[in-house]
Structures are given as structure tokens and as C-alpha cells.
Amino acid sequence: MIIRETCVAIWDALHAAVMAQPHKEQCKEIADVFQKTCKFPNCAGAIDGKHIRIKKPVRSGSQYYNYKKYFSFVLFAMCDANYSFRYIDVGSYGSRSDSAVFAHSEFGKMLQDKALDLPDHTTLPGTTSRAMPFVFVADEAFALGENLMRPYSSRGLSLARRVFNYRLTRARRVVECAFGILANKWRFLHTPIHLKLETAISAVKAACVLHNFVRAREGYNFDDSLSHSLQSHRPSVVRGHRQGAAVREQFTAYFMSPHWALPWQLEAI
């Protein structure tokens, strides 16, 4: 009871201060950092989901039993380029795919309904081509959309598409680093959580807001992010739509242009 009440109090006290939903101007600031550090323009965040290992919840059947053959719930997160969580959804069944967790999350619904306070479309830096939307970057488990970029399928890729996948991965890895920092700072995430389900969810939420609080106070240590015990979801087959495909093709052309190609990108792929 003490653990649960303390974790709830930490979340209630810090959530609004260190994990408020970004507004337009903050999204622009986030995108500026992604452009500076990851060389991916118009990026408002990186998203991913991770399994949090738990003991079997009472009367839960197989809902929390995942494809890795253990019980878990899902921590879904959207991160900025400073490795801070800007949105989290905690507690979805471990048996669900990333795309299902995302679709049922408040963030996913707001993105789908165009309800997020994203900046207006703008041209990519150094270009005069048509204005581009601000996007979130994700792995292949998520569906392609106008505001959500995922890699191309790995079969028969052209050089330009391989470069796009590399550039997207450079931006998406910040959420992996954030999970690494989180797990290495709050060591209970390295082992199954032996708490009641509701208390375990509160503990993870408290760890996430404390992560942001400590990040703002202490800064970022790269070594903290090199490894973590949080397991990725199994990718599922999901389809995008034409508008998302057109946006992705424009990013692909941009990354291959002489002025905006990275000197090492061809060697990296």
C-alpha cells in the first residue's frame, strides 16, 4: 500500500510539470533538436512500445502472456530528441501488438483524428518544395500515415530507400535510448515486477516521470543507454495509406539530395 500510494503521489505531483503534452511551439523546438542531432527534419517525436515483465495477474487468462512466453504489460512512449518521455501509455495487455496498443491509446486516437497540436505544414530546411507535415518516427510495427513515418519493407530496396531507412533509424533510436536510461536508472525494470498489477503500473508511471525529472536535473549520459532489459514488441504486418507514402517519398528524395545527404550515409547502409 505504501509503494502504491507513493508512486501515485509522485505521478500526480510531477506529471503536469515534466510530461505535459507539447503544444505547437514546443513541437517546433523538439523538431529543431531532431534536425540538429539526428538530421531528420520536421520530426516531432519517436514512438515505440516495450514489454514490462510482471508476475501473472490474478484471473487474467492469457491476456498478459506475450509471444516471448512470459507475462507482461506494455509501456508505450513518445520521446523527444533529448531522451525525455513526452507521452506514455502504461498497462495494455502484453499479448497485443504495438499497432493495437497505439491505436487504442489516447495519443494514437488524437493523431488519427488530427487533434494533436502540431505545427502547420512547412517546407523542409533549405528547400522551396511543397510544405511537409510534422511527423513521428516509428518502426515497422506501426502503420504508415501522413504524420507517422515507418521504414520501407526490407525486400528489394533501392539505394534511396535504404538511405531513408537509415536516416529514420537514426531518429527513432532516441526512444530506444530513453528506454535504456529508464531501465538502468530504475533497476526494478530489469526483473519481473512482483507487485499487484495496478501497483506495478503505478510504479512504471512514477519511474517515467522521475526519469524526466532526473534528465532535466542531471543531463544525459550516453553510457546509460547502451543496454536495457525491456523487450521490444514483435512487429506486425500493418498497412499505410497513399498520403503517408507520398510524404515518405518526399523525405526519401530530400535525404538523397546533394545538399542534405550525410557524408557517411552510403557507407552506413
Side-chain angles (χ1 to χ4, degrees):
M1 185 181 296
I2 292 172
I3 293 172
R4 180 181 173 187
E5 289 180 354
T6 302
C7 291
V8 169
I10 291 171
W11 172 263
D12 290 343
L14 292 180
H15 176 243
V18 301
M19 202 185 288
Q21 183 175 310
H23 52 68
K24 284 184 179 181
E25 292 306 315
Q26 290 175 324
C27 286
K28 289 180 181 179
E29 293 173 1
I30 291 171
D32 287 343
V33 179
F34 268 105
Q35 169 66 6
K36 180 179 178 181
T37 61
C38 304
K39 307 303 181 185
F40 201 107
N42 285 30
C43 181
I47 64 176
D48 199 7
K50 293 295 180 182
H51 288 287
I52 304 296
R53 190 187 294 259
I54 55 173
K55 67 176 184 178
K56 183 181 184 297
V58 178
R59 295 187 294 275
S60 64
S62 61
Q63 291 174 322
Y64 291 94
Y65 194 65
N66 65 44
Y67 76 102
K68 291 279 191 177
K69 311 299 182 184
Y70 61 83
F71 292 94
S72 66
F73 59 76
V74 177
L75 164 61
F76 168 79
M78 186 273 282
C79 289
D80 62 26
N82 288 320
Y83 310 93
S84 292
F85 298 114
R86 306 309 293 257
Y87 172 86
I88 60 170
D89 182 275
V90 187
S92 293
Y93 300 139
S95 59
R96 282 184 171 178
S97 66
D98 270 354
S99 57
V101 173
F102 174 70
H104 288 86
S105 69
E106 180 184 359
F107 180 85
K109 291 176 182 177
M110 292 180 71
L111 185 63
Q112 178 68 28
D113 297 338
K114 305 292 185 182
L116 290 175
D117 191 21
L118 293 175
D120 296 332
H121 290 28
T122 183
T123 56
L124 297 179
T127 70
T128 57
S129 57
R130 71 181 180 91
M132 293 278 283
F134 281 75
V135 300
F136 299 93
V137 293
D139 62 19
E140 63 274 12
F142 295 85
L144 180 67
E146 181 184 14
N147 300 109
L148 185 59
M149 293 291 99
R150 56 164 282 174
Y152 288 101
S153 173
S154 59
R155 292 185 177 182
L157 290 180
S158 65
L159 179 63
R161 292 187 173 189
R162 287 163 57 199
V163 167
F164 172 87
N165 284 0
Y166 167 68
R167 296 287 288 268
L168 182 140
T169 300
R170 277 174 53 86
R172 192 190 63 82
R173 70 183 180 185
V174 301
V175 67
E176 296 284 347
C177 289
F179 284 133
I181 299 168
L182 178 73
N184 288 330
K185 191 73 168 179
W186 314 108
R187 308 294 289 184
F188 76 98
L189 293 171
H190 280 295
T191 58
I193 303 176
H194 291 279
L195 296 169
K196 291 182 179 179
L197 178 62
E198 193 172 341
T199 305
I201 291 172
S202 294
V204 172
K205 291 169 67 175
C208 288
V209 292
L210 286 171
H211 164 90
N212 283 11
F213 180 80
V214 173
R215 279 282 303 117
R217 186 186 65 182
E218 295 184 355
Y220 169 65
N221 181 352
F222 180 76
D223 292 337
D224 289 341
S225 70
L226 294 181
S227 63
H228 62 79
S229 61
L230 306 185
Q231 297 293 321
S232 298
H233 264 179
R234 177 174 55 187
S236 56
V237 178
V238 289
R239 296 181 178 180
H241 56 67
R242 292 181 180 179
Q243 200 166 7
V247 172
R248 185 168 63 177
E249 288 292 344
Q250 198 159 347
F251 273 115
T252 302
Y254 179 80
F255 294 147
M256 290 297 291
S257 62
H259 293 295
W260 305 110
L262 297 178
W264 64 86
Q265 65 186 23
L266 296 182
E267 297 176 7
I269 63 173

